[in-house]
Amino acid sequence: SEDANLADTRPTPPATAVDRNLTLEIARITERAAIAAAGWRGKGDEMQADKAAVLAMHDALNAIDIAGRVVIGEGRDAELLAFEDAVGTGTGPAIDVAVDPLEGVTGCAKNVADSLSVMAFAERDGLMRVPDAYMEKIAIGRGYPQGIVDLDQSASDNIRALAKAKGVAATDIVACLLDRPRHASLIAELRELGVAVKLLPDGDIAAVIHAANSDDTGIDIYLGSGGAEEGVLAAAAMRCMGGQMQGRLILDTAEKKSRARELGIKDLAAKFTADEMAHGDVLFAATGVTDGSLLRGVKLLPHKVVTSSVVMRSWSHTTRWITAEHGRV
Ligand code: VTB
Ligand code: MG
Ligand code: MG
């Protein structure tokens, strides 16, 4: 029978939905930032690489017709793309913007895998505001009963539940997490169960996307803590892909707690679903800076520059992989 979704018999999106043509604009922006950062690959200078990406993203973003507002940005005191900054030309739809112009600055400076330029667009008030803190995260792909993994369960219980739902042994599960000393006991617990632990030097937005695409990547679950802002960006991607994700802020200082309250977070110990972190219609885009497991890095050739990007939209659940050739004139 004909797939209703492919036959395009879907209802018209609500008026509040993000203009779908912005999917090309958002990809253009991450392309620009990635190209700018590419010149800094392997130069050992994280700051300059990040600065180049921020500037390029800022300029590209300000050229498009949106009344944008930075919700996830470069911090409160940043010169460019700071929290609450107005972005875009100011005419056009009201859009809340999340940016990480160079996600994985270390990977870029060292010219190793998975440095990306990342951005999300949402309807006004569609993105959660978070303090500069870590977030405990868990993510799996679609097709599982709601709530089979949960941050309130032990890692072992989560793995057992996932393995059972997949109809495999816990030893067949591949779990991915950031390679950090703070994860030592979590890693030990997973290895005790015989889980295949995949340790990443950096980049947990890509890791969450991998967990959502487990058929392709072989990664069944993402676990552990990483940046809270990366958590919101990953939630935007997850909304487009349709898996399950939870995040819980790690507010281990009085300052982080009071900042969270200032940002309107009432229950400081709350777990947030992907939908709570990024709601309504959202767009997500990433362009590879260095060659990685998610995307090819920018190719700087004499006559052209080649970029590889992914752009997704939650309303339609579309994922587009875009290879772009930018002619050098
Ligand atoms: C996290 C993670 C990011 O950097 O922010 C991490 O979310 C920093 O963690 O994806 P540490 O403070 O433990 O180094 C990334 O891996 C890359 O920006
Ligand atoms: Mg950044
Ligand atoms: Mg980052």
Side-chain angles (χ1 to χ4, degrees), residues 50 53-54 73-74 99-105 116 229-230 233:
D50 199 39
V54 169
E74 292 298 294
V99 305
D100 200 348
L102 187 54
E103 156 64 357
V105 285
L116 309 169
E229 300 191 321
E230 282 83 354
L233 280 157

Side-chain angles (χ1 to χ4, degrees), residues 83-134:
F83 181 66
E84 301 287 8
D85 273 5
V87 286
T89 59
T91 50
I95 298 286
D96 276 4
V97 177
V99 305
D100 200 348
L102 187 54
E103 156 64 357
V105 285
T106 311
C108 181
K110 291 185 176 173
N111 204 358
V112 297
D114 277 328
S115 172
L116 309 169
S117 179
V118 182
M119 178 166 233
F121 282 174
E123 300 170 14
R124 191 48 41 108
D125 295 320
L127 297 168
M128 182 178 163
R129 290 165 164 72
V130 291
D132 185 9
Y134 284 122

Side-chain angles (χ1 to χ4, degrees), residues 11-257:
T12 332
T16 53
V18 176
D19 175 2
R20 68 179 188 174
N21 291 313
L22 288 174
T23 49
L24 192 54
E25 298 286 16
I26 192 174
R28 281 198 186 99
I29 297 168
T30 55
E31 283 173 357
R32 289 329 307 177
I35 293 168
W40 288 96
R41 285 181 302 207
K43 306 287 163 76
D45 194 335
E46 298 185 359
M47 271 243 297
Q48 289 301 334
D50 199 39
K51 253 178 108 167
V54 169
L55 179 61
M57 182 169 274
H58 166 269
D59 291 354
L61 180 55
N62 277 334
I64 70 165
D65 288 331
I66 58 167
R69 178 174 74 179
V70 175
V71 170
I72 298 289
E74 292 298 294
R76 272 184 287 175
D77 310 317
E79 211 177 303
L80 299 175
L81 302 175
F83 181 66
E84 301 287 8
D85 273 5
V87 286
T89 59
T91 50
I95 298 286
D96 276 4
V97 177
V99 305
D100 200 348
L102 187 54
E103 156 64 357
V105 285
T106 311
C108 181
K110 291 185 176 173
N111 204 358
V112 297
D114 277 328
S115 172
L116 309 169
S117 179
V118 182
M119 178 166 233
F121 282 174
E123 300 170 14
R124 191 48 41 108
D125 295 320
L127 297 168
M128 182 178 163
R129 290 165 164 72
V130 291
D132 185 9
Y134 284 122
M135 179 186 277
E136 204 185 332
K137 308 172 193 178
I138 192 165
I140 57 171
R142 64 195 309 168
Y144 297 107
Q146 193 58 42
I148 61 160
V149 300
D150 193 298
L151 287 176
D152 280 334
Q153 272 168 203
S154 68
S156 312
D157 285 347
N158 282 322
I159 298 293
R160 283 192 206 98
L162 183 63
K164 191 167 171 230
K166 277 193 76 153
V168 301
T171 52
D172 293 324
I173 296 292
V174 178
C176 166
L177 51 163
L178 291 173
D179 191 5
R180 295 292 186 275
R182 65 176 180 272
H183 291 147
S185 68
L186 178 56
I187 293 168
E189 183 181 347
L190 295 170
R191 290 209 171 121
E192 183 67 28
L193 264 183
V195 170
V197 177
K198 188 176 168 75
L199 295 173
L200 302 176
D202 262 308
D204 71 351
I205 298 176
V208 168
I209 294 174
H210 287 329
N213 292 321
S214 55
D215 287 350
D216 290 338
T217 61
I219 295 167
D220 299 296
I221 184 166
Y222 171 76
L223 290 165
S225 60
E229 300 191 321
E230 282 83 354
V232 175
L233 280 157
M238 191 53 102
R239 286 285 323 292
C240 301
M241 296 179 295
Q244 295 182 46
M245 179 182 175
Q246 286 180 339
R248 177 159 50 202
L249 293 166
I250 301 177
L251 303 168
D252 49 6
T253 65
E255 196 201 335
K256 287 178 200 171
K257 287 192 179 88

